[in-house]
Amino acid sequence: MAKVFQASRQWERISELWVTEDAATDLTGFKSDRRNFNLALWDPTANGLRYLRALVYELATRLGDDDWSKIESVHNREVGDPVTVRYEGKSVCLDYLQAALELGFIEKEVDLDGARVLEIGAGYGRTCHSMLSNYDLASYTIIDLKNTLSLSRAYLRAVLDEKQFAKLKFVQVEDIDTALGTDRFDLCVNVHSFTEMTPDTVKAYLRLIDERCGAFFVKNPVGKFRDKSMDGHQKGEEAVKLAMETGPLRQVLDIHDSEAVAAAVPAFIDAYRPADRWTCAADTRGLPWSYFWQAVFRNTGSRNTGSTKAGSEKAHDARP
């Protein structure tokens, strides 16, 4: 069973060249170098640092008080030297801005206080950092590849306090069958990593979510693109080829055409529904990207329905 949870060819290459075994040895500058440009951001040296900052600034002007409160509650965001802007005296980077928007979307459907959270593919840990800083979670489990897990462990060790870090559990993909034991979760999270896994691996994870989780938040692309003009394919044609092999949604579309993106949404909902008994409670575009979509699914079966808003009272009564 564990064999299904192996790295895709795309991620084998990333682990060999960029998110290497040494990725976690020095956090200095990692949010602005190739480690993070393979985890959370596209390389702005190829796409234009000026445009990245312009995007972040514009998004910052649209944030509400609640969004800013979520961002400001997350301490030590400066670790790793992110690309930031300042708006009305407050510093923000794109990673934590996205996290605040994602949390605002999730909390409308899922009761996060006291929740047991599972994240599959956490990158360097910005979603985990943001959740633990804004909600009194019971626990947070991260499943990831060895090198990326080392990076998230090092980063979260640097930014979280002792009480927050004690709630974490790190699980390598090879150890899923044994490390999870009988653990159940109120919420599973996947942000932009299912699209980089083989279709069989995604199916295996969806089965795991169906068996162990009460709700599922997913934010991923609705399809693929092959537009060399956007980044010059600066990672090479081999990287493009490997990217086209991964994810459950490999239809090529114009990602800057709103109608084309909208037409791909039903397939996105179907592809990421863990099983027939799961309902899509909410879905919308995953800002700021034109072709990302996000959704919260609820398990309507008898297991793990606890942290949804509709069933939160029942779930909290059931928790030991």
Side-chain angles (χ1 to χ4, degrees):
M1 175 67 173
K3 226 174 166 183
V4 183
F5 298 104
Q6 300 305 303
S8 63
R9 291 175 60 206
Q10 179 185 9
W11 258 96
E12 287 178 349
R13 187 168 186 265
I14 290 171
S15 295
E16 178 184 352
L17 298 178
W18 299 300
V19 186
T20 65
E21 290 186 352
D22 297 326
T25 57
D26 182 4
L27 295 178
T28 303
F30 89 90
K31 287 185 186 173
S32 300
D33 68 24
R34 283 192 137 186
R35 288 170 289 178
N36 201 33
F37 298 153
N38 282 279
L39 294 172
L41 296 177
W42 295 285
D43 187 346
T45 61
N47 295 279
L49 188 58
R50 176 183 300 178
Y51 294 104
L52 175 61
R53 282 197 162 120
L55 171 65
V56 178
Y57 188 91
E58 176 59 26
L59 290 169
T61 68
R62 304 181 186 189
L63 295 176
D65 291 342
D66 191 53
D67 301 319
W68 279 115
S69 176
K70 286 181 172 61
I71 293 170
E72 295 283 280
S73 293
V74 184
H75 301 154
N76 301 315
R77 302 189 309 278
E78 72 283 358
V79 173
D81 306 316
V83 176
T84 63
V85 301
R86 292 188 67 80
Y87 182 72
E88 296 185 346
K90 298 184 285 285
S91 177
V92 65
C93 69
L94 186 55
D95 287 348
Y96 283 96
L97 188 153
Q98 288 184 90
L101 296 177
E102 291 157 8
L103 294 185
F105 178 73
I106 294 169
E107 70 180 12
K108 292 177 182 177
E109 305 297 334
V110 180
D111 183 2
L112 292 171
D113 285 323
R116 300 155 297 184
V117 179
L118 170 68
E119 183 170 10
I120 299 169
Y124 69 78
R126 58 92 159 163
T127 305
C128 174
H129 187 194
S130 298
M131 275 203 188
L132 284 168
S133 299
N134 279 279
Y135 309 96
D136 184 19
L137 302 181
S139 64
Y140 202 106
T141 299
I142 295 173
I143 296 175
D144 220 325
L145 303 175
K146 176 185 174 182
N147 295 346
T148 314
L149 203 65
S150 295
L151 177 58
S152 63
R153 182 186 287 110
Y155 179 73
L156 293 168
R157 174 70 281 178
V159 299
L160 296 174
D161 62 32
E162 292 293 334
K163 182 179 178 181
Q164 291 170 328
F165 192 79
K167 295 181 178 183
L168 297 181
K169 181 176 183 179
F170 298 92
V171 177
Q172 284 187 210
V173 294
E174 295 85 357
D175 302 328
I176 287 175
D177 291 342
T178 55
L180 289 184
T182 60
D183 291 354
R184 303 285 179 177
F185 305 95
D186 300 301
L187 173 68
C188 179
V189 173
N190 182 266
V191 177
H192 195 193
S193 66
F194 275 173
T195 191
E196 297 175 339
M197 301 179 192
T198 67
D200 285 344
T201 297
V202 175
K203 289 177 182 177
Y205 275 125
L206 291 175
R207 287 195 296 269
L208 184 150
I209 293 167
D210 180 42
E211 293 168 358
R212 294 176 178 265
C213 302
F216 173 41
F217 169 73
V218 59
K219 179 183 176 183
N220 273 273
V222 298
K224 304 282 188 177
F225 68 94
R226 295 186 68 101
D227 186 351
K228 192 172 183 178
S229 68
M230 287 199 289
D231 65 0
H233 291 176
Q234 49 96 16
K235 290 184 181 178
E237 292 301 323
E238 179 68 8
V240 176
K241 177 184 176 183
L242 296 178
M244 297 302 293
E245 294 177 357
T246 57
L249 300 169
R250 283 163 288 164
Q251 174 190 358
V252 176
L253 68 152
D254 182 348
I255 63 172
H256 297 116
D257 180 336
S258 62
E259 292 180 344
V261 170
V265 170
F268 175 95
I269 301 299
D270 288 343
Y272 288 115
R273 188 190 310 276
D276 290 342
R277 60 184 176 152
W278 287 69
T279 61
C280 182
D283 70 286
T284 190
R285 185 163 71 90
L287 296 174
W289 316 116
S290 61
Y291 67 114
F292 274 57
W293 210 255
Q294 60 185 6
V296 171
F297 294 91
R298 290 178 181 161
N299 187 341
T300 60
S302 59
R303 296 173 293 177
N304 307 311
T305 57
S307 77
T308 62
K309 288 290 188 182
S312 61
E313 182 177 348
K314 179 179 179 182
H316 284 294
D317 289 343
R319 284 194 194 113

